[in-house]
């Protein structure tokens, strides 16, 4: 790789070059990052310490909070350091590492939201079989599958990008090493990289999103036709609204970024969309889930709440 790559350092152009605006962005993104860390760590601690939350739904929420912390950490500290110091350089190895972990954690979160939709589908539509289907072993397998699939998806992009030859301009029009602006700098052909980005990453975003939509269409139809009690419908809806809100916040900007042709998007709008799901969504996720109706909290008896089985001992 050393013999094939002449450019050993890239310059991240970031969000803006205006000094006055940079100071505002430092304060804003620092507050957002700290909120992400504190909010998601609080959820993780509460889920671990509260026995009533040892259920599949909160087990997956624990994984989501963990992903949100890591996902923001991939880009935010380096972006803040660049804004503070004015030094926006990143090494070739650091760029590939950042690219890998961004796609690893982002893909895992996409898939985890689909798993959470499946959990709600089983809990509401098949409550009597829920403890059998969503057993502790099944939950661990589903969570492991999301992380593993995300890692393999990112590994594919990292390896393909490492094969490119960079010998010319080294200025990346983004605030981190994203594939689309990075491959534009390659001296060798990047057509295969873009094709994989459109097909694989597009499928990775659209596939789980379609699965989630169909899951909730079935859930809402089931509640309308099979559940006569308004109270029962309301409790079931209370367990879905938070998840649907998070899905909308994440998937809308992701689809905007990766479903259209890779090089056809405006760099400014691409960065705004990336900020939405990489910075804003991890901040909002803890608020969205903690603002759920208190009736959604499972009681000590699993019969009082659909899907409240224990994962812990």
């Amino acid at each position: 790789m050393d013999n094939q790559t002449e450019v050993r350092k890239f310059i991240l152009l970031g969000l803006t070059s205006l000094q006055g605006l940079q100071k505002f962005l430092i304060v804003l993104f620092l507050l957002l990052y700290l909120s992400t860390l504190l909010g998601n760590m609080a959820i993780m601690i509460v889920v671990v310490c509260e026995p009533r939350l040892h259920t599949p739904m909160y087990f997956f929420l624990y994984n989501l909070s963990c992903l949100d912390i890591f996902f923001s950490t991939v880009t935010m500290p380096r972006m803040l350091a660049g804004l503070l110091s004015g030094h926006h350089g990143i090494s070739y190895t650091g760029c590939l590492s950042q690219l890998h972990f961004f796609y690893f954690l982002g893909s895992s979160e996409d898939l985890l939201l689909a798993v959470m939709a499946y959990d709600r589908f089983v809990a509401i539509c098949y409550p009597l079989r829920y403890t059998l289907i969503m057993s502790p072993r099944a939950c661990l397998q589903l969570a492991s599958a999301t992380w593993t699939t995300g890692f393999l998806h990112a590994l594919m992009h990292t390896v393909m990008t490492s094969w490119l030859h960079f010998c010319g301009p080294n200025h990346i029009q983004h605030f981190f090493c994203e594939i689309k602006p990075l491959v534009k700098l390659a001296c060798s052909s990047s057509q295969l990289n873009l094709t994989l980005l459109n097909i694989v990453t597009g499928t990775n975003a659209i596939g789980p999103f379609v699965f989630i939509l169909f899951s909730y269409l079935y859930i809402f139809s089931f509640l309308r036709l099979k559940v006569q009690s308004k109270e029962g419908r309301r409790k079931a809806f209370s367990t879905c609204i938070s998840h649907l809100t998070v899905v909308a916040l994440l998937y809308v900007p992701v689809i905007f970024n990766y479903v259209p042709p890779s090089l056809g998007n405006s760099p400014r709008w691409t960065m705004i969309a990336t900020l939405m799901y990489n910075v804003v969504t991890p901040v909002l996720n803890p608020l969205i889930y903690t603002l759920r109706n208190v009736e959604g909290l499972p009681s000590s008896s699993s019969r009082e709440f659909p899907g409240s089985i224990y994962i812990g001992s």
Side-chain angles (χ1 to χ4, degrees):
M1 190 181 302
D2 291 340
N3 294 332
Q4 295 178 348
T5 305
E6 297 176 11
V7 173
R8 306 306 301 171
K9 184 178 181 180
F10 295 99
I11 305 298
L12 300 171
L13 297 183
L15 299 173
T16 180
S17 59
L18 300 177
Q19 293 298 324
L21 190 56
Q22 283 184 345
K23 294 179 181 179
F24 168 75
L25 292 178
I26 290 171
V27 175
L28 174 63
F29 288 131
L30 180 60
L31 291 176
L32 289 175
Y33 182 57
L34 292 176
S35 299
T36 297
L37 296 180
L38 294 175
N40 285 285
M41 287 179 65
I43 285 184
M44 294 171 67
I45 293 171
V46 171
V47 169
V48 170
C49 296
E50 174 54 62
R52 290 184 299 168
L53 302 184
H54 293 173
T55 71
M57 181 174 69
Y58 288 97
F59 170 73
F60 294 130
L61 179 57
Y62 177 95
N63 278 264
L64 180 65
S65 294
C66 186
L67 283 170
D68 279 339
I69 290 175
F70 291 146
F71 194 36
S72 291
T73 302
V74 170
T75 59
M76 292 289 283
R78 177 169 286 279
M79 180 172 65
L80 287 170
L83 289 172
L84 282 169
S85 66
H87 177 70
H88 299 282
I90 184 171
S91 67
Y92 175 80
T93 302
C95 188
L96 286 183
S97 299
Q98 191 178 53
L99 181 153
H100 174 79
F101 283 103
F102 180 86
Y103 280 89
F104 166 33
L105 299 166
S107 299
S108 299
E109 186 160 340
D110 289 346
L111 296 169
L112 182 63
L113 290 178
V115 170
M116 295 174 76
Y118 175 72
D119 171 69
R120 293 300 83 206
F121 165 76
V122 177
I124 294 173
C125 300
Y126 300 97
L128 298 181
R129 299 176 57 192
Y130 184 80
T131 55
L132 178 63
I133 298 174
M134 300 301 295
S135 64
R137 181 179 180 182
C139 291
L140 288 173
Q141 289 175 338
L142 287 170
S144 299
T146 61
W147 288 78
T148 303
T149 304
F151 176 82
L152 294 176
H153 172 236
L155 183 63
M156 176 199 68
H157 286 305
T158 305
V159 171
M160 293 299 299
T161 305
S162 70
W163 289 348
L164 295 176
H165 179 42
F166 297 94
C167 60
N170 65 341
H171 290 74
I172 301 175
Q173 290 188 331
H174 217 296
F175 61 87
F176 78 104
C177 285
E178 217 274 358
I179 289 181
K180 290 184 288 184
L182 179 60
V183 298
K184 292 173 67 175
L185 304 179
C187 300
S188 54
S189 175
S190 60
Q191 187 59 45
L192 180 58
N193 300 70
L194 296 176
T195 301
L196 288 174
L197 183 68
N198 288 332
I199 296 176
V200 179
T201 305
T203 302
N204 191 70
I206 291 294
F209 183 65
V210 171
F211 176 83
I212 292 170
L213 290 182
F214 276 103
S215 296
Y216 277 108
L217 285 175
Y218 189 94
I219 288 173
F220 295 152
S221 299
F222 177 87
L223 292 175
R224 182 179 179 183
L225 298 175
K226 300 295 181 65
V227 179
Q228 304 299 325
S229 168
K230 291 184 178 180
E231 183 69 13
R233 291 181 184 176
R234 187 168 62 85
K235 286 187 176 182
F237 275 121
S238 73
T239 70
C240 300
I241 294 302
S242 301
H243 182 249
L244 279 173
T245 305
V246 171
V247 167
L249 288 173
L250 177 69
Y251 274 101
V252 170
V254 167
I255 291 174
F256 174 84
N257 260 4
Y258 294 107
V259 173
S262 293
L263 297 180
N265 295 335
S266 165
R268 178 176 297 180
W269 286 109
T270 298
M271 283 191 284
I272 292 175
T274 304
L275 284 172
M276 281 299 299
Y277 62 81
N278 181 239
V279 178
V280 177
T281 300
V283 175
L284 296 179
N285 283 353
L287 295 175
I288 293 169
Y289 277 102
T290 54
L291 289 177
R292 291 177 60 247
N293 192 302
V294 70
E295 294 179 2
L297 181 67
S299 67
S300 58
S301 172
S302 63
R303 293 187 180 88
E304 297 179 18
F305 182 78
S308 58
I309 66 169
Y310 289 93
I311 283 183
S313 55

